[in-house]
Structures are given as C-alpha cells and as structure tokens.
Amino acid sequence: MPDRADHVRRRDISPRRPLRRRPTEQSLFSCIYGLVLASALVAALDATGDQADPGPDALWVVLTALAAGAAHGYAHVIALRASADGRAASSRLRLVLAEWPLVAATLPTVAMLLAAVAGWWSEAAAVDTALLFNTAALFCWGAWAARVSGYAWPSACRAGAMDMLIGLLIIIADTLID
C-alpha cells in the first residue's frame, strides 16, 4: 500500500476559498517573465555616457517583448508537434496568442520611457522608476500567485520576496555596470 498523507494538511497552506478570477499558470509565468525582461532591457538600454534617447529604448522593449512572446508561443507549438498531439491548427495559434501577458507586463516600462520622450522627466528617472516599479510588481505577482495556490500570507510574502530578489539583482547589476 503506498504511503499517502492526504489527510495531513501543511501548516503554511491556508484552506482554499473561491476566487473571482484565478489566473492561469501560463499568465502568471508570462507576467513575471515580462517584468524581468522589461527590467533587464531598460537597465541594458540605459545609456550612461551617451546621449539619452528613450524613444528607441521604448521601441526596443516593445519589439523584444513581442519577439519573446512569439518565440515562447512558437516553442509551445513545436513541443505540441513533437508530442504528436493531434490538436487543430487553431489551438496552435492560441498558444502563440496566449503569450500576451508577457507583452502587457512590459507596457508600464514602455509608458515610463515614453513619458521621458514627452519631457516629463529624464531618461535616468524613467529607468530608475521602471526598475523600482517592476521590482515591486514582481513581489506582488509572486505573493499573489502563492496566495492563489493556497499559501498563507507569511509564505506568500516569502514567495513574493524571492521574485522581488530577481528585480533587486537587476538593479544591483545596473548600478555596478554603469
């Protein structure tokens, strides 16, 4: 008889209650990936000694997010073909289009860069604000994903802190490299 402990409840998981909107694993993954991608791009594109030009930087963030989303979706299509699953071609298109949260997660960063284009603030301020916003958003997404999975608040905050650590590492790398 297999050793099963279905009757034992973990202490760090609270009982599930119905949620209005439970995000899919794919959308959570895509949002977190998009935030990390936007942070890394905005940090890399931030020109220290060069002439600031946030317009092309914003365009690069959007184009890279679109390319990454398309590549992820297409990788799912290739995996589907390799598994010899006989799903219809329309489901393959849905796999590619399902990556929209990755692109959407980069839009706040793009908006901050476009605000710098409009002259509302400098590119350096836009980059710093985008990095801080994305780091805070990583915490929120990580904590929310843990809460949706049934974790109690302390465990959810630890999960969010681990996601936030990625953003902090990008900020530290940006500071050291500049």
Side-chain angles (χ1 to χ4, degrees):
M1 183 157 144
D3 184 25
R4 296 189 50 156
D6 290 339
H7 64 282
V8 178
R9 193 173 137 241
R10 289 182 48 188
R11 291 182 189 168
D12 62 342
I13 297 180
S14 63
R16 292 187 182 207
R17 56 180 191 261
L19 296 173
R20 280 181 264 173
R21 165 103 166 82
R22 183 182 170 125
T24 64
E25 181 182 334
Q26 178 64 35
S27 65
L28 288 169
F29 167 81
S30 294
C31 285
I32 289 172
Y33 189 88
L35 287 168
V36 171
L37 180 69
S39 294
L41 280 169
V42 78
L45 293 171
D46 182 26
T48 305
D50 299 331
Q51 178 70 19
D53 201 357
D57 291 351
L59 182 61
W60 273 113
V61 171
V62 169
L63 290 176
T64 304
L66 288 170
H72 271 211
Y74 190 63
H76 288 295
V77 169
I78 291 172
L80 183 68
R81 272 192 214 142
S83 72
D85 192 352
R87 289 194 228 172
S90 64
S91 69
R92 292 181 179 142
L93 179 60
R94 276 195 294 264
L95 286 171
V96 174
L97 295 177
E99 295 295 331
W100 72 266
L102 187 152
V103 177
T106 65
L107 295 181
T109 299
V110 171
M112 290 174 208
L113 289 171
L114 292 177
V117 170
W120 295 349
W121 54 18
S122 68
E123 182 184 28
V127 167
D128 292 344
T129 305
L131 289 173
L132 291 173
F133 174 85
N134 290 346
T135 301
L138 282 168
F139 174 83
C140 293
W141 275 104
W144 185 40
R147 287 294 294 161
V148 164
S149 297
Y151 285 87
W153 277 110
S155 297
C157 288
R158 281 193 299 274
M162 292 307 295
D163 285 357
M164 186 175 85
L165 185 60
I166 298 168
L168 292 174
L169 289 173
I170 292 172
I171 291 171
I172 291 168
D174 184 44
T175 303
L176 293 175
I177 293 172
D178 282 347

